[in-house]
Amino acid sequence: MVQSNGENPQRNRRGLHQIRSAIQTRSMLAKKRVENITKNDVKGFFTRNAFVLLTIAAVILGIALGFALRPYKLSYREVKYFSFPGELLMRMLQMLVLPLLVSSLITGMAALDGRASGRMGMRAVIYYTTTTVIAVFIGIVLVLIIHPGKGSRDEFIKQPKIEQINPADAFLDLIRNMFPPNIVEACTKQFKTQYAKRVVHVTITVNDTILSVNGSQVISREEMIPVPGSVNGVNALGLVVFSICFGLIIGGMREKGQPLKDFFDCLNEVIMRLVAIIMWYAPVGILFLIAGKIVEMDDIANMGGQLGMYTVTVICGLLVHAVIVLPTLYFLITRKNPFVFIAGLLQALITALGTSSSSATLPITFKCLEENNKVDKRVTRFVLPVGATINMDGTALYEALAAIFIAQVNDYDLNFGQILTISITATAASIGAAGIPQAGLVTMVIVLTSVGLPTDDITLIIAVDWFLDRLRTTTNVLGDSIGAGIVEHLSRHELQKKDPEVGNSVVEEADKKPYQLICQENECDTERSVDSETKM
């Protein structure tokens, strides 16, 4: 006993000594590294991360400039003039979305055989569904625990009525938009059911009574009927469906489809080079976008307690999903550090925060994933355009949470069945939410109608929607990007098999990737010229 008691302090001392020596060794190594840093190393770091550092600086300056200009009470016209550089950035990015979406999907699908694309598509759909359901669950749990809608609704300022939408017509419109009758029109317009009044004449036959003689009476009444209509905006869902089918058929045509495959591959490369030029302007645009929004927003001091708690609840939900759920999923599947992966996406995430549009951020997301995180181009070309169209984790979370918040404000007790209805409807409605600013407000009508909540109450949350919209867009972009990383990891065995039918693929970055990547540089031309010389 005495010996064992004497041995324990010795073991403790040895353990402490080992820990101390390990700390000293690491601190010495860190010191040496710091001492060995040269001016070229610092210069190289700033050169490599110039885009990210400039974009972060733009966000900070934009917030500071916005709050500095608020006391001057700028007019609406002055705010619009001030935000003009930001508007230019939005227009530039939106200009590239359409050709990038079509060319990337067609080349991505053409580079894969039917079996590989089918498996990849199945994995992507399972990932999208899983993350969206988790996001909805997080939103519902948080709003039920925090209960932000408790209190009087007198603090809300009533705003104009919102347009009514029939949920059945909204879902039918979603399916109709998947199959546009005119592919050229789909580049500029989406189908949307409109409502028109129709006068119905009903003839009522009156029986012979003491008061009236036998005869008939015509009664007119009005009814609302659905009529075909359209709204401005790219029909992304229709173009995605068309491009996937088009790309698969080109891939199946082999040599006959090679000219078309080369054309879209070249178009994709041109768009990515244009993105590289626009990225230099992005920090300036983001600075004025954020500053303009801060100048334009209502006074935060006038925000009521319920709306403040609602904002906090949404932010907590998005943080849980973006910082805990998505990185954990990435780590469990790939066994890699998710935060290193996320660090490579910083510029795309900040651009999403500034532009508030996942579609407008798509060109930057492509650049970050392919250049910083070295994700296979065949994966990004398929997963990102589809993800930007149908994968809306942040929107699904927001819609479920907002619906229950509106129910709480109206003292409306929801049973389990109604909460389940909200979760299913929010998941489905988020798919129909186009990747444009504040599209979630439109699809919110479907969620509220499904459980009989007043749709006009959407106006209660409009005051803070511009800010929350930016946060949920950032979450959407992060979800799409992590999905691309996960799908690449799960599809690595299919990607390792060399496909002899892919004529425009070469091995790029052989030290980093053991499988073929789609050629994006002039190496293809040089290889072809070498082959032709050997044949001669």
Side-chain angles (χ1 to χ4, degrees), residues 400-535:
L401 198 154
I404 297 173
F405 169 74
I406 287 168
Q408 290 173 354
V409 168
N410 288 286
D411 289 327
Y412 187 85
D413 292 325
L414 297 169
N415 57 39
F416 177 76
Q418 288 172 315
I419 290 171
L420 192 65
T421 305
I422 286 173
S423 62
I424 294 166
T425 318
T427 305
S430 67
I431 296 168
I436 54 173
Q438 296 188 329
L441 278 180
V442 179
T443 51
M444 267 294 298
V445 177
I446 302 167
V447 182
L448 292 176
T449 311
S450 67
V451 287
L453 288 168
T455 52
D456 288 344
D457 283 358
I458 292 173
T459 56
L460 304 178
I461 57 175
I462 280 177
V464 292
D465 187 71
W466 71 270
F467 173 66
L468 298 177
D469 187 32
R470 282 165 157 67
L471 298 181
R472 64 178 184 258
T473 302
T474 308
T475 308
N476 292 341
V477 170
L478 180 63
D480 296 342
S481 305
I482 283 181
I486 287 172
V487 170
E488 185 203 32
H489 179 80
L490 294 173
S491 306
R492 63 192 184 282
H493 298 301
E494 284 94 345
L495 295 167
Q496 280 170 357
K497 294 174 185 176
K498 293 181 181 179
D499 187 358
E501 295 170 7
V502 180
N504 66 336
S505 63
V506 293
V507 177
E508 287 184 346
E509 301 165 351
D511 55 329
K512 293 174 185 173
K513 300 281 183 191
Y515 47 80
Q516 284 194 335
L517 294 178
I518 293 174
C519 175
Q520 286 295 321
E521 302 297 335
N522 296 325
E523 285 90 355
C524 293
D525 298 332
T526 55
E527 282 196 8
R528 282 175 193 159
S529 62
V530 169
D531 289 342
S532 61
E533 284 170 11
T534 53
K535 284 175 186 175

Side-chain angles (χ1 to χ4, degrees), residues 264-340:
F264 283 107
D265 197 52
C266 187
L267 176 63
N268 190 264
E269 173 61 16
V270 169
I271 298 300
M272 292 313 291
R273 293 192 182 193
L274 280 170
V275 172
I277 296 166
I278 289 170
M279 278 174 81
W280 285 106
Y281 178 72
V284 178
I286 288 167
L287 189 153
F288 285 97
L289 272 174
I290 290 174
K293 263 297 171 191
I294 288 171
V295 171
E296 195 180 344
M297 73 178 182
D298 298 327
D299 193 0
I300 301 167
N302 295 337
M303 188 192 293
Q306 284 171 285
L307 204 55
M309 283 304 294
Y310 162 75
T311 307
V312 170
T313 310
V314 174
I315 291 169
C316 288
L318 293 173
L319 278 174
V320 168
H321 190 71
V323 179
I324 298 170
V325 174
L326 292 176
T328 305
L329 266 177
Y330 181 82
F331 174 74
L332 289 174
I333 294 167
T334 64
R335 297 291 172 184
K336 293 175 186 174
N337 188 343
F339 296 104
V340 172

Side-chain angles (χ1 to χ4, degrees), residues 24-66:
Q24 284 175 351
T25 308
R26 289 190 178 183
S27 60
M28 287 293 289
L29 284 168
K31 192 177 178 183
K32 283 180 181 178
R33 282 177 190 169
V34 172
E35 287 171 354
N36 291 333
I37 290 172
T38 60
K39 285 183 180 179
N40 289 332
D41 293 332
V42 175
K43 193 178 177 182
F45 171 81
F46 281 109
T47 306
R48 283 193 307 274
N49 300 287
F51 286 130
V52 179
L53 294 170
L54 284 170
T55 313
I56 292 169
V59 171
I60 295 164
L61 282 171
I63 293 167
L65 185 62

Side-chain angles (χ1 to χ4, degrees), residues 15-324:
L16 286 168
H17 183 70
Q18 285 173 355
I19 292 165
R20 205 175 292 153
S21 60
I23 291 168
Q24 284 175 351
T25 308
R26 289 190 178 183
S27 60
M28 287 293 289
L29 284 168
K31 192 177 178 183
K32 283 180 181 178
R33 282 177 190 169
V34 172
E35 287 171 354
N36 291 333
I37 290 172
T38 60
K39 285 183 180 179
N40 289 332
D41 293 332
V42 175
K43 193 178 177 182
F45 171 81
F46 281 109
T47 306
R48 283 193 307 274
N49 300 287
F51 286 130
V52 179
L53 294 170
L54 284 170
T55 313
I56 292 169
V59 171
I60 295 164
L61 282 171
I63 293 167
L65 185 62
F67 280 108
L69 289 174
R70 275 183 70 80
Y72 293 96
K73 308 283 185 189
L74 299 179
S75 67
Y76 181 78
R77 183 182 288 273
E78 287 168 341
V79 170
K80 282 294 168 192
Y81 289 156
F82 178 71
S83 305
F84 182 70
E87 185 190 342
L88 278 183
L89 175 67
M90 285 292 292
R91 296 174 79 91
M92 286 178 192
L93 291 172
Q94 286 167 347
M95 171 183 70
L96 300 179
V97 168
L98 179 63
L100 180 65
L101 187 141
V102 173
S103 64
S104 62
L105 261 177
I106 290 173
T107 51
M109 297 310 294
L112 297 162
D113 59 349
R115 191 176 295 175
S117 59
R119 286 177 182 172
M120 194 183 289
M122 186 59 70
R123 285 168 189 140
V125 168
I126 290 168
Y127 167 81
Y128 296 152
T129 310
T130 306
T131 52
T132 306
V133 169
I134 291 169
V136 169
F137 178 75
I138 290 167
I140 289 171
V141 168
L142 280 174
V143 76
L144 291 175
I145 291 170
I146 298 173
H147 208 84
K150 190 189 288 184
S152 170
R153 73 173 280 149
D154 297 337
E155 66 178 59
F156 293 105
I157 300 164
K158 201 69 183 171
Q159 298 204 20
K161 285 191 173 184
I162 200 155
E163 184 188 357
Q164 301 296 313
I165 299 169
N166 187 301
D169 290 334
F171 282 117
L172 288 174
D173 286 351
L174 184 66
I175 298 164
R176 288 186 187 109
N177 279 320
M178 288 173 72
F179 306 101
N182 186 336
I183 201 67
V184 177
E185 190 184 40
C187 299
T188 57
K189 287 185 179 179
Q190 299 178 32
F191 184 92
K192 188 187 177 189
T193 300
Q194 308 285 357
Y195 297 96
K197 287 180 181 178
R198 185 176 70 174
V199 178
V200 181
H201 300 287
V202 182
T203 305
I204 300 172
T205 304
V206 182
N207 293 327
D208 190 7
T209 61
I210 298 167
L211 298 172
S212 62
V213 184
N214 188 27
S216 62
Q217 186 180 357
V218 178
I219 297 174
S220 300
R221 65 182 178 87
E222 285 186 348
E223 67 173 3
M224 297 296 287
I225 57 163
V227 292
S230 62
V231 289
N232 290 330
V234 177
N235 179 3
L237 205 57
L239 291 173
V240 163
V241 172
F242 174 79
S243 301
I244 287 172
C245 299
F246 196 78
L248 281 171
I249 290 167
I250 287 176
M253 288 173 70
R254 302 182 184 181
E255 289 81 13
K256 287 183 180 178
Q258 193 61 43
L260 263 179
K261 199 188 292 184
D262 291 340
F263 167 75
F264 283 107
D265 197 52
C266 187
L267 176 63
N268 190 264
E269 173 61 16
V270 169
I271 298 300
M272 292 313 291
R273 293 192 182 193
L274 280 170
V275 172
I277 296 166
I278 289 170
M279 278 174 81
W280 285 106
Y281 178 72
V284 178
I286 288 167
L287 189 153
F288 285 97
L289 272 174
I290 290 174
K293 263 297 171 191
I294 288 171
V295 171
E296 195 180 344
M297 73 178 182
D298 298 327
D299 193 0
I300 301 167
N302 295 337
M303 188 192 293
Q306 284 171 285
L307 204 55
M309 283 304 294
Y310 162 75
T311 307
V312 170
T313 310
V314 174
I315 291 169
C316 288
L318 293 173
L319 278 174
V320 168
H321 190 71
V323 179
I324 298 170

